[in-house]
């Protein structure tokens, strides 16, 4: 009976969104043809014929593509959906043409004539969904995007086979309408919303008010943007996930409804209750379904519905009660508010809460949540499954369908990191789990535009029934496609990276850069890594050796800079260890030597090489924020939002350096001054024979950190210098020291 129930639950989601009218097929085919023209140009696009045919699907709901032709004929790309056709196109470009599609820049040199496809190549995905995004991605990566940047991302999504993704822009404008209708004042609403860079945590109930309010122009522009995003996603046959009411309300609701039953939640992220401690409606309060249905009705009136909605009531917040009856009631209230408006509603739930607080979420508590929604109407994201899967300890989420997700990145940090072995084998293990209810794979990073090899593998696994058999061969081919030519040294460099930085294993693996370089300095900093640093330095040497052949490739220049950045990060740890040892031994000369190299040579060299690429410029990052504004005052406000997120994260460094980046300008004017102040304080301590006072240093360095956030200094948004020359300069200075062990 259990297997039958599981099959029924999975069946609900297999059929959700499957099918579609002939008009949808024509629209999706037109969307893919337009993508081909944007990607390759109108001339080369004429060499491809694209069609969408629902009947091509191997099974209902399982996307399928078919490739044929080429050579003297046009390349035929057929798909059961627009997404399937786009994924088929990507497969042809990747495997037959040696092309590469990437955030950092695509390599799309087509051979002539176009290679022929032997016979007819047909591929069906093993699961219904390929999911993309994390609620946090909206703030760490997407927050300042305009339509042009969104268009490129949706194209990337389609080519990588993504058919399920969050579409959460503009929801504050809808909430504003609902709150006004309920009787809140505009001032109360303004006071409630966070600033743009922190909306993700306002949406999950973690924060309110911090670094707000939202200007009226924000709502107008986000509504416009959301309409365009939804239209394009739907044109490919993707399913956008819209937001729903999770139960959090502004405190002002208690003024309008004095008898309302609310619970003031605990604080979050080291914020005090000025900005956290959200108000949660009691599930039995009669206002709950009213607010939930008002919001969803207004949302659907504005944007339509694709019947899948996201809501997170207890994200990183302990519920008011551990009683299963309370947790079931809270879950039921959210779901019933959905189906009161959309009878076909499916709830997409981030399963992070079960992983994040395992001491609270025992079997009874998890069961209460999972059992409160009919099977098949709750779709759970096993968000961190590559490292800490939840499905294995919940009997496959007790029969509810789930998506095996790779989280990979926290805070949008730079830093080479991956767990490719775990990622490669994870989806198959989940499919083979007893009575598995897995219905898809997903990529759920907090921030994007980093470690692209990891996402290329994960996207490919969405279409594979088995793991990649030889990852070393796979990364070698990845490098050849990425650079447009095979080079033995570049391939060898990538194989070294595969066995080192991209081979993290175990539950401790977490893609959050805690290098001393990007943390507030102290004497207790952890410099341990899970790999042999020699592999990083040797990969650096090999990539530089291949530069004469590959330097014309933008992707190669990006990777060379990223690897140089990583090597400098390793060197910072080594010089820090030497400086700390010198301080503890009271050896002033050694402390001054190591500290001088770190703060006055190494970090300036890092800033200089980062400045050679527009993708590593603080100026480019802040210019995105300013460009979203309609006035100079608004631009200053958005820039401050962005600076806070990159550094202090809160008014008092509440989540300090969580979203750290290694950007030219940020290294020079934020990380470097901190290090100089720290090393000077250590030297003074040794010289005067008094202990270093961390507490006093923290107070002093906070002044530097806050000054950076509040500064109006503008930074270049155009690169300066040559990446290869600058990387070589750093290499020639420090690599021999590494080899000699004399850093």
């Amino acid at each position: 009976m259990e297997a039958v129930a599981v099959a029924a639950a999975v069946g609900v989601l297999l059929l959700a969104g499957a099918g579609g009218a002939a008009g949808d097929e024509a629209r999706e085919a037109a969307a893919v043809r337009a993508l081909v023209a944007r990607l390759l140009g109108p001339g080369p696009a004429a060499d491809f014929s694209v069609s969408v045919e629902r009947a091509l699907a191997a099974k209902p709901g399982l996307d399928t593509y078919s490739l044929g032709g080429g050579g003297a004929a046009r390349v035929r790309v057929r798909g059961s959906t627009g997404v399937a056709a786009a994924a088929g196109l990507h497969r042809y470009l990747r495997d037959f043409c040696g092309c590469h599609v990437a955030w950092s820049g695509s390599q799309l040199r087509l051979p002539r004539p176009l290679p022929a496809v032997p016979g007819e190549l047909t591929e069906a995905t093993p699961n219904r969904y390929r999911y993309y995004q994390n609620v946090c991605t909206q703030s760490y990566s997407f927050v300042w995007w305009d339509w042009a940047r969104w268009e490129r991302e949706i194209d990337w999504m389609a080519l990588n086979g993504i058919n399920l993704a969050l579409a959460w822009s503009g929801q504050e404008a809808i909430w504003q309408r609902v709150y006004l209708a309920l009787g809140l004042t505009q001032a109360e609403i303004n006071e409630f919303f966070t600033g743009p860079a922190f909306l993700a945590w306002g949406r999950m109930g973690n924060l309110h008010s911090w670094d707000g309010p939202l200007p009226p122009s924000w709502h107008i522009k986000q509504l416009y943007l959301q309409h365009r995003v939804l239209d394009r996603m739907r044109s490919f046959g993707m399913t956008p996930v819209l937001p729903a009411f999770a139960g959090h309300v502004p405190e002002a609701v208690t003024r309008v409804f004095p008898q309302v039953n609310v619970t003031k939640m605990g604080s979050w992220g080291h914020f005090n209750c000025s900005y956290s401690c959200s108000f949660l409606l009691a599930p039995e309060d009669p206002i709950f379904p009213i607010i939930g249905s008002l919001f969803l009705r207004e949302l659907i009136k504005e944007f339509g519905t694709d019947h899948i909605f996201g809501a997170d009531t207890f994200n990183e917040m302990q519920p008011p009660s551990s009683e299963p009856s309370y947790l079931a009631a809270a879950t039921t209230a959210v779901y019933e508010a959905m189906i009161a408006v959309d009878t076909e509603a499916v709830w997409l739930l981030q399963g992070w809460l079960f992983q994040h607080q395992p001491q609270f979420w025992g079997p009874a508590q998890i069961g209460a949540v999972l059992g409160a929604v009919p099977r098949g109407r709750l779709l759970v994201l096993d968000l961190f499954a590559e490292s800490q899967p939840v499905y294995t300890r919940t009997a496959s989420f007790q029969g509810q369908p789930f998506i095996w997700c790779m989280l990979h990145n926290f805070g949008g940090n730079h830093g080479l990191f991956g767990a490719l072995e775990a990622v490669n084998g994870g989806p198959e293990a989940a499919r083979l789990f007893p009575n598995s209810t897995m219905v898809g794979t997903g990529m759920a990073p907090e921030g994007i535009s980093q470690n692209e090899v990891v996402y290329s593998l994960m996207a490919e696994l969405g279409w594979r029934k088995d793991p990649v058999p030889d990852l070393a061969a796979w990364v070698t081919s990845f490098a050849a496609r990425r650079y447009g030519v095979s080079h033995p040294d570049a391939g060898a460099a990538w194989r070294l990276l595969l066995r080192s930085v991209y081979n993290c294993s175990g539950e401790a693996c977490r893609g959050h850069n805690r290098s001393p370089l990007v943390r507030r300095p102290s004497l207790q900093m952890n410099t341990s890594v899970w790999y042999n640093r020699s592999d990083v330095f040797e990969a650096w040497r090999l990539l530089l050796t291949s530069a004469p052949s590959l330097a014309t490739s933008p992707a190669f220049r990006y990777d060379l800079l990223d690897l140089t950045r990583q090597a400098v990060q390793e060197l910072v740890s080594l010089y820090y260890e030497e400086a700390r040892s010198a301080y503890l031994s009271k050896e002033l000369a050694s402390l001054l030597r190591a500290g001088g190299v770190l703060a006055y040579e190494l970090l300036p060299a890092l800033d200089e090489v980062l400045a050679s690429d527009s993708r590593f410029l603080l100026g480019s990052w802040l210019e995105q924020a300013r460009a979203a504004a309609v006035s100079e005052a608004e631009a200053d406000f958005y820039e401050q939002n962005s600076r806070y997120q990159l550094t202090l994260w809160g008014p008092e460094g509440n989540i300090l350096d969580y979203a750290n980046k290694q950007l030219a300008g940020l290294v020079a004017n934020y990380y470097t001054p901190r290090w100089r102040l720290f090393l000077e304080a250590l030297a003074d301590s040794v010289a005067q024979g008094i202990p270093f006072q961390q507490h006093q240093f923290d107070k002093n360095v906070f002044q530097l950190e806050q000054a950076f956030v509040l500064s109006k200094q503008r930074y270049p948004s155009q690169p300066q210098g040559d990446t290869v020359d600058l990387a070589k300069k750093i290499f020639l200075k420090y690599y021999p020291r590494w080899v000699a062990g004399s850093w």
Side-chain angles (χ1 to χ4, degrees), residues 29-61:
V32 179
R33 291 187 199 107
L35 183 159
V36 178
R38 284 192 299 275
L39 188 69
L40 303 177
D47 295 328
F48 293 81
S49 70
V50 176
S51 64
V52 172
E53 307 159 27
R54 295 283 187 258
L56 191 63
K59 292 181 180 178

Side-chain angles (χ1 to χ4, degrees), residues 179-317:
Y179 293 147
L180 288 171
L182 288 170
L184 276 71
T185 67
Q186 188 64 56
E188 289 170 331
I189 297 168
N190 290 346
E191 196 276 334
F192 177 66
F193 289 137
T194 69
F198 302 96
L199 284 173
W201 300 276
R203 293 164 178 173
M204 294 185 288
N206 304 119
L207 290 178
H208 58 80
S209 311
W210 164 237
D211 215 17
L214 295 174
S217 63
W218 176 265
H219 297 302
I220 295 168
K221 294 181 75 170
Q222 291 297 302
L223 282 174
Y224 165 79
L225 191 60
Q226 174 77 338
H227 276 290
R228 297 202 70 173
V229 167
L230 289 172
D231 182 69
R232 183 59 57 82
M233 288 176 67
R234 288 166 176 159
S235 75
F236 283 120
M238 295 178 190
T239 300
V241 179
L242 295 176
F245 178 54
H248 313 110
V249 294
E251 183 178 3
V253 166
T254 63
R255 178 191 62 78
V256 180
F257 303 103
Q259 304 305 314
V260 71
N261 185 356
V262 295
T263 299
K264 189 173 183 179
M265 303 289 281
S267 63
W268 175 86
H270 309 292
F271 282 84
N272 62 33
C273 289
S274 297
Y275 301 115
S276 65
C277 309
S278 65
F279 285 79
L280 182 67
L281 268 178
E284 69 275 9
D285 194 285
I287 295 297
F288 197 113
I290 292 173
I291 294 178
S293 59
L294 271 175
F295 173 72
L296 209 56
R297 194 169 285 113
E298 190 66 28
L299 185 85
I300 291 172
K301 178 182 173 183
E302 182 73 38
F303 299 130
T305 179
D306 298 88
H307 312 299
I308 300 186
F309 301 94
D312 297 286
T313 305
F314 301 119
N315 177 69
E316 298 185 358
M317 295 186 294

Side-chain angles (χ1 to χ4, degrees), residues 16 36 72 110-111 275 380 711:
V36 178
L110 295 176
Y275 301 115
V380 184
S711 170

Side-chain angles (χ1 to χ4, degrees), residues 402-426:
F402 76 94
I403 294 175
W404 189 99
C405 291
M406 175 193 77
L407 199 160
H408 180 258
N409 180 272
F410 291 82
N413 299 162
H414 291 124
L416 300 185
F417 169 82
L420 290 191
E421 289 284 358
V423 169
N424 190 36

Side-chain angles (χ1 to χ4, degrees), residues 333-352:
V334 173
Y335 175 68
E336 288 185 346
M338 292 182 195
I339 60 171
V341 180
D342 185 342
T343 57
E344 300 178 50
V346 172
W347 180 358
L348 184 79
L349 175 70
Q350 292 192 127
W352 179 251

Side-chain angles (χ1 to χ4, degrees), residues 210 269-272 274-275 520 644 647-657 698 702 705-706 709:
W210 164 237
H270 309 292
F271 282 84
N272 62 33
S274 297
Y275 301 115
R520 180 188 281 175
Y644 260 120
T647 56
L648 293 175
W649 221 103
E652 300 170 339
N654 307 62
I655 315 180
L656 182 67
D657 297 319
D698 289 345
F702 177 73
E705 294 161 343
Q706 191 174 53
V709 171

